[in-house]
């Protein structure tokens, strides 16, 4: 969500009435919503309300996966599955800003994949017509990917292990496909791969607040310089929320779908 502060509790710190804020908040299909102030971020003035509403979830998820859990280092090779999703687009830009040497992004859409280079992807890969493992090996000169943002699921899990470098970090962000799959534990062990699961659903307020604070510190300056953007694909009025959901399920969007009030 994004909007102006119209009321707050006595213990709220750092905000005042009229402030522009954005947050990953529950029950946001509404004219007004309530969130803990520790989860709220200041909405930069250069962002429209629609852009601000689209920013927190993608920004926080990608930052937490790539920098906090993926421990991205300067010069790393990064592989991002489903790079045309909002999280994939955010991760691409963060990887570029924080010194990744190669950024490989996959997509099954020939139409969408042509837009990835503008977001920092150095090696776009069509996952339906190309061998992703071979593409990673080629781009990294047979080194493999140091950090992998996994978003597909069980059907690609073993390929990610094959594409990974020794001591790689595979961060399980999403499961757009199957929830389970078979992996080669011998290769996983031989490469000493760290497989990490992330989710906001099991985080308490303190953990969620820490993610928001870390992402805010690193990414808000990039927003102000234009080095990080969240694409808004389409805006629907709140009354057409069902149509917005149907459009999302169609998979034809590139970026976020926003409801306006």
């Amino acid at each position: 969500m994004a909007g102006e502060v119209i009321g707050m509790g006595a213990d709220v710190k750092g905000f005042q009435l009229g402030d522009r804020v954005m947050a990953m908040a529950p029950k946001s299909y509404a004219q007004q919503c309530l969130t803990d102030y520790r989860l709220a971020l200041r909405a930069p003035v250069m962002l429209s309300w629609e852009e601000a509403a689209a920013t927190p979830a993608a920004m926080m998820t990608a930052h937490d996966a790539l920098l906090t859990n993926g421990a991205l280092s300067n010069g790393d090779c990064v592989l991002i599955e489903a790079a045309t999703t909002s999280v994939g687009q955010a991760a691409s830009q963060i990887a570029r800003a924080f010194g990744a040497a190669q950024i490989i992004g996959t997509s099954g859409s020939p139409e969408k994949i042509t837009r990835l280079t503008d977001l920092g992807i150095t090696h776009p890969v069509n996952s339906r017509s190309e061998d992703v493992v071979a593409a990673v090996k080629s781009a990294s000169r047979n080194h493999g990917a140091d950090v992998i943002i996994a978003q597909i699921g069980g059907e690609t899990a073993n390929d990610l292990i094959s594409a990974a470098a020794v001591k790689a970090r595979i961060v399980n962000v999403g499961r757009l496909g199957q929830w389970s799959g078979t992996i080669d534990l011998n290769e996983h062990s031989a490469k000493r791969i760290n497989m990490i699961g992330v989710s906001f659903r099991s985080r308490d307020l303190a953990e969620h607040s820490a993610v928001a604070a870390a992402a805010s510190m690193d990414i808000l300056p990039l927003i102000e310089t234009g080095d990080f953007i969240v694409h808004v694909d389409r805006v629907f009025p709140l009354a057409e929320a069902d149509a917005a959901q149907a459009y999302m399920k169609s998979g034809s969007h590139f970026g976020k779908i926003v409801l306006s009030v």
Side-chain angles (χ1 to χ4, degrees):
M1 69 76 159
E4 291 184 358
V5 177
I6 60 171
M8 53 188 175
D11 294 331
V12 171
K13 299 178 178 65
F15 294 100
Q16 55 187 342
L17 296 180
D19 280 351
R20 287 169 49 94
V21 297
M22 55 188 185
M24 189 164 64
K27 301 181 180 179
S28 292
Y29 283 29
Q31 292 176 311
Q32 299 175 8
C33 72
L34 181 69
T35 189
D36 191 287
Y37 76 95
R38 287 163 288 186
L39 306 182
L41 310 172
R42 294 194 177 276
V45 294
M46 70 283 300
L47 297 183
S48 68
W49 286 123
E50 292 80 9
E51 291 168 334
T55 296
M59 176 184 80
M60 291 166 57
T61 302
H63 180 277
D64 178 66
L66 194 58
L67 298 185
T68 302
N69 286 286
L72 175 70
S73 296
N74 192 60
D76 276 351
C77 175
V78 175
L79 169 62
I80 302 169
E81 279 195 309
T84 60
T85 62
S86 58
V87 172
Q89 293 176 35
S92 303
Q93 296 173 85
I94 294 171
R96 175 177 61 186
F98 285 85
Q102 297 92 24
I103 309 171
I104 305 156
T106 73
S107 173
S109 169
E111 296 78 22
K112 293 179 182 180
I113 204 168
T114 59
R115 304 175 64 177
L116 289 178
T117 53
D118 292 338
L119 300 172
I121 295 291
T122 58
H123 298 82
V125 179
N126 188 323
S127 55
R128 293 182 179 174
S129 61
E130 299 180 63
D131 185 326
V132 174
V133 176
V136 172
K137 298 288 186 176
S138 175
S140 64
R141 297 183 179 180
N142 216 40
H143 172 77
D146 299 292
V147 184
I148 298 175
I149 304 301
Q151 296 206 86
I152 302 301
E155 57 264 57
T156 63
N158 206 53
D159 284 344
L160 298 185
I161 289 176
S162 297
V166 173
K167 299 176 70 174
R169 288 80 68 197
I170 300 177
V171 187
N172 178 20
V173 176
R175 289 150 300 283
L176 297 172
Q178 299 174 12
W179 287 15
S180 61
T182 301
I183 63 172
D184 185 339
L185 289 175
N186 190 53
E187 184 174 12
H188 171 265
S189 179
K191 288 183 174 178
R192 292 171 284 157
I193 294 169
N194 190 1
M195 298 188 73
I196 307 157
V198 295
S199 174
F200 284 104
R201 293 179 179 88
S202 57
R203 286 186 166 108
D204 60 21
L205 176 60
E207 293 172 313
H208 200 153
S209 176
V211 173
S216 177
M217 181 178 296
D218 285 339
I219 309 303
L220 289 188
L222 298 179
I223 293 176
E224 293 173 357
T225 59
D227 294 314
F228 181 92
I229 59 173
V230 174
H231 287 274
V232 175
D233 178 89
R234 188 170 169 184
V235 178
F236 289 80
L238 180 61
E240 296 180 14
D242 286 345
Q245 290 282 358
Y247 179 60
M248 182 174 68
K249 289 178 181 178
S250 75
S252 58
H253 58 290
F254 184 89
K256 280 290 189 180
I257 301 165
V258 177
L259 298 178
S260 65
V261 178

